[in-house]
Amino acid sequence: MSKKIRQQKILELIKAFEIDTQEELCEKLKELGFIVTQATVSRDIKELDIVKTSGQTKKYKYGIQAAQTQNDAGMFLLFKTSVTKVTCAQNLVVLKTISGNANAVAAAIEKLHIPEIIGCVAGDDTILFVASTVSDAEKIEEAITSRL
């Protein structure tokens, strides 16, 4: 199963259960048919900006801060409604937005933590992403377009 599906399931699990350890999260994922290691779950927790919060039955549990969730939702809505074109050119990815939205869209994309992005420059309506290789640029383009 894909990383995107796994991460969505992680968010569902931490909303439904008071999970306080990575090992417990691994077990819940394995029960659902995901083959994961603790290291994979650790990376997912970091990428999803999951934090420890106070629990009701346990001292702590994994969760997402409410303000962060609202802010991220707004950023990703802006991302989805502002991007007009994504083009890969060698080791570069050029993203066009509605005028005045490039900086906000770049901030939303940074929240995605796409590891192939080694640099990014945003103007008024254009964002330039730099990758090490053509293959990495194609992965960036796919990561962005799959979320539109």
Side-chain angles (χ1 to χ4, degrees), residues 5-142:
I5 293 170
R6 183 184 65 243
Q7 288 184 344
Q8 182 61 41
K9 190 54 68 176
I10 287 171
L11 293 173
E12 291 173 17
L13 286 170
I14 65 171
K15 288 177 186 173
F17 302 100
E18 284 198 6
I19 298 173
D20 64 344
T21 66
Q22 292 178 5
E23 292 78 16
E24 184 179 359
L25 188 52
C26 283
E27 286 303 314
K28 293 272 189 201
L29 287 167
K30 286 177 185 175
E31 289 171 12
L32 297 171
F34 291 87
I35 300 170
V36 295
T37 64
Q38 180 271 328
T40 298
V41 169
S42 179
R43 282 189 298 274
D44 287 341
I45 287 170
K46 183 177 180 183
E47 288 178 21
L48 293 168
D49 291 326
I50 294 173
V51 295
K52 288 264 186 148
T53 61
S54 295
Q56 291 180 357
T57 59
K58 297 182 178 180
K59 190 170 183 176
Y60 296 104
K61 67 176 184 165
Y62 286 117
I64 299 175
Q65 296 172 338
Q68 174 186 348
T69 304
Q70 290 174 347
N71 188 32
D72 287 353
M75 291 283 277
F76 287 111
L77 177 60
L78 173 72
F79 169 73
K80 287 184 173 210
T81 59
S82 297
V83 175
T84 60
K85 186 176 182 183
V86 182
T87 306
C88 195
Q90 298 295 329
N91 69 315
L92 306 173
V93 177
V94 179
L95 187 144
K96 298 295 279 181
T97 70
I98 295 171
S99 184
N101 286 299
N103 280 302
V105 170
I109 291 172
E110 284 197 354
K111 288 248 182 218
L112 298 175
H113 303 289
I114 300 169
E116 292 82 11
I117 296 174
I118 61 172
C120 162
V121 179
D124 179 60
D125 66 353
T126 305
I127 306 167
L128 175 66
F129 296 98
V130 180
S132 295
T133 65
V134 172
S135 175
D136 283 350
E138 290 168 351
K139 288 178 186 175
I140 294 167
E141 180 184 28
E142 171 59 28

